[in-house]
Amino acid sequence: MSRAFILLMDSFGIGGAPDAESFGDKGSNTLGHIAEQCTIGNADKKGVRHGPLYLPNMEIIGLGHAAYQSTGNYPKGFSSQIKATGLHGAASEISKGKDTPSGHWEIAGVPVKFDWGYFPDKMPCFDDSLLDGIVKVGNLPGALGLCHASGTEIIARFGLEHIKSSKPIIYTSADSVIQIAAHEQSFGLERLIDLCEKIRILVDPYNIGRVIARPFVGNAPDNFERTGNRRDFSVLPPAPTLLDKVKEAGREMIAIGKIADIYAHQGPTQVIKASGHDNLFQRTLEQAIKAPDGSLTFTNFVDFDSLYGHRRDVVGYAAALEEFDRKLPELISILKDDDLVIIAADHGCDPTWTGTDHTRENIPVLAFGPQIKAQNIGTRECFADIGQSIASFLGVGTLEAGKSFL
């Protein structure tokens, strides 16, 4: 019986979506701009890149051709003469946001047709009623931040005051999110998680997609560091997703990394917590060896987004892409005859773009496996085509949205 694997490269966009201009992202291109900057050897202020971006394994599957489908151009260093060995193309998003839940839910067959709630970009960005409620349910002496901010920057700015006062650092971004940063030792990890669970209830009337616990360690601004104990508290998807279909069919749905959090733990039968790309890939390899027939394994590689995209680190993003690419042959070597692997993304986060937010981009769709034939699937009109294809491949029924390309 067939098995399926989704490798979700968080934020790996391949060129502006058709509606990118309405999001202020016309011209954004995560892959294209990284490749361009690597080629000219002047990647960003954080370091100088020597040599072009080198992703031979994804290129042979069809990444360059997928990028061409999205933009009409091949990324710098990619060849139009490569004969792809896998199924390849691009996909556009129809959900109304360029955030993590919207992209993931649409991939799993449930586009977000409603408008998320957002906090205004002013100081304070949270109204008095919400702040009073947070302070009350958490028995807090107050709160710090209360603005739109980058997670690493706001920890450096308020971390010492937080440690001294026990006031959590609360902030947001252009996404539908409220984030709470707190020190793992001085504030306590369990206390932070409990606070976020209570805040999840408080922000439901605001239609906020996620509450994120952002624990950190260190004793000074220059060594504060966020840990792998992050937790996302998401609202439930509005309809059954691919994950639910797999579970309802009596199959194993194995969620690695933050996948279970993104789907509010609705659907997974196994949850494997892991952080860092090396660890996430290792856990995925383990499932490629032992996951049962008929199963779906879904891994989110978040560092592309959180460590490099949002931080506008071109050099770091490029290195992470190359390391991911180097690991693919090991996965390919242990696949079973009927396995399917799909590489995709949930949005863009162009590290050359202004600001620190996600970018509205098309995503790559790369599929391979021993029985998967090379095919150009063009640019799909909806991310849900991915979920519908997997549902068809595994024989678990049909989803409400999407058209299979298999």
Side-chain angles (χ1 to χ4, degrees), residues 158-167 186:
F158 291 104
L160 286 178
E161 185 178 352
H162 157 70
I163 292 172
K164 293 176 182 177
S165 68
S166 288
K167 296 178 181 179
S186 66

Side-chain angles (χ1 to χ4, degrees), residues 137 145 309:
V137 299

